[in-house]
Amino acid sequence: MNEPLITYELDGNIALIGLNRPDKRNAINDPLIDELRAAVLRAHEEADVAVLFGHGSNFCAGLDLAEALARATGQIKPPRKRRRHNWHEVFDLIARGPIPFVAALHGAVVGGGLELATAAHLRVCDETATFGLPEGQRGIFVGGGGTVRIQRVVGTSVMMDMMLTGRLLTAAEGLQEHVVRYVVPAGEALQKAGELAARVAKNSVETNWMIINVLPRIHDMSHDDGLFVEQLNSARARPPEAEARLREFVDGKARRLQDNQA
């Protein structure tokens, strides 16, 4: 029996989703995307937060170039009708689904791997991580949402530099360019991501949903429309859990914020 391309484990209310093609540096092909879709949808139902990581020495080296070559040479038959890119669909299930995702990054985080990483809401890497967009050197273009997600994270000039020159960013440069928010010693990214996920899971499910779905949409709006949508969401009827949390604070029973620092 073949090993799964995606591993899935539920730890309490946190789903652990692992890319499992270590011998191919977790390169993304169609079967992996199909298994990733199933795992993400399962996490939507079972978990309050998910952690995305890579087995082996790398998070993800991007597109499986052997599959890309087979498609370019007609060895893989194209679909009869044009449809949405399967990477776009699955990465959007991560980025704009019902639960937050934390990405634990190490080793190669390049091309499609970086596109996948930027679909997550929080990103932590260890000191071995390198970030790159080698599409320019491969004669192709980004296709997994990078023009939208990566460009909004690092800015157009940085993304152009990475694509035109093939430059790799170190972990420290990734922190500087906002690719990640946390850098930890080698081998500790998954542990740190788990700690962050546990902290995020303490928030209310409703608030987490608004943070990951309302904020990016307001980012795309005009000033006035953004304020209007903010008001609509902040004025929504609050569930009983919100009332209980507010009462804890008013009564002096809420945990101090500095006790929660990551």
Side-chain angles (χ1 to χ4, degrees):
M1 183 176 179
N2 293 331
E3 286 287 320
L5 300 177
I6 296 292
T7 62
Y8 183 95
E9 178 185 352
L10 190 64
D11 182 9
N13 59 350
I14 298 173
L16 303 174
I17 299 175
L19 309 183
N20 194 32
R21 293 186 78 200
D23 57 324
K24 300 295 185 181
R25 300 202 300 166
N26 293 324
I28 301 172
N29 59 9
D30 284 347
L32 184 143
I33 280 288
D34 290 341
E35 290 191 29
L36 180 59
R37 177 190 292 106
V40 169
L41 290 174
R42 180 178 174 185
H44 285 178
E45 296 300 320
E46 296 181 344
D48 292 336
V49 185
V51 173
L52 187 64
F53 68 99
H55 291 281
S57 302
N58 302 279
F59 173 71
C60 178
L63 174 66
D64 185 320
L65 295 181
E67 184 182 81
L69 179 60
R71 184 173 287 109
T73 55
Q75 297 176 50
I76 296 178
K77 186 178 180 180
R80 189 171 66 88
K81 295 181 179 179
R82 183 183 291 271
R83 59 189 182 190
R84 191 180 189 201
H85 195 298
N86 56 355
W87 291 31
H88 291 176
E89 176 190 351
V90 175
F91 292 3
D92 267 357
L93 288 173
I94 294 170
R96 298 199 174 189
I99 64 172
F101 274 73
V102 183
L105 310 174
H106 71 294
V109 188
V110 301
L114 184 53
E115 291 175 309
L116 174 57
T118 53
H121 307 98
L122 294 176
R123 293 176 294 278
V124 54
C125 78
D126 74 15
E127 294 169 341
T128 70
T130 55
F131 307 96
L133 293 168
E135 286 82 357
Q137 289 69 52
R138 304 290 182 260
I140 56 178
F141 193 66
V142 290
T147 56
V148 176
R149 292 195 181 90
I150 298 173
Q151 186 170 200
R152 291 181 184 182
V153 169
V154 304
T156 303
S157 62
V158 173
M159 186 172 180
M160 279 188 178
D161 178 27
M162 294 172 71
M163 292 190 71
L164 289 171
T165 68
R167 172 185 176 185
L168 294 175
L169 302 183
T170 64
E173 290 170 324
L175 180 65
Q176 175 182 315
E177 300 299 346
H178 310 295
V179 177
V180 296
R181 292 288 296 154
Y182 307 88
V183 178
V184 295
E188 296 183 14
L190 184 55
Q191 177 184 340
K192 180 65 174 179
E195 293 170 358
L196 291 170
R199 180 176 177 183
V200 172
K202 293 178 181 178
N203 299 337
S204 73
V205 172
E206 178 74 6
T207 297
N208 278 344
W209 179 87
M210 287 192 286
I211 291 170
I212 66 174
N213 282 279
V214 178
L215 277 181
R217 286 172 170 83
I218 288 180
H219 179 271
D220 295 339
M221 294 177 179
S222 68
H223 176 89
D224 287 346
D225 288 345
L227 292 179
F228 180 73
V229 171
E230 178 189 281
Q231 182 177 356
L232 289 179
N233 281 275
S234 62
R236 291 174 61 180
R238 294 186 172 91
E241 181 185 0
E243 179 182 341
R245 287 172 179 252
L246 291 171
R247 190 171 299 281
E248 278 185 352
F249 178 82
V250 172
D251 293 344
K253 298 178 180 179
R255 182 176 298 180
R256 292 166 59 95
L257 289 180
Q258 56 263 39
D259 295 336
N260 274 317
Q261 294 302 309

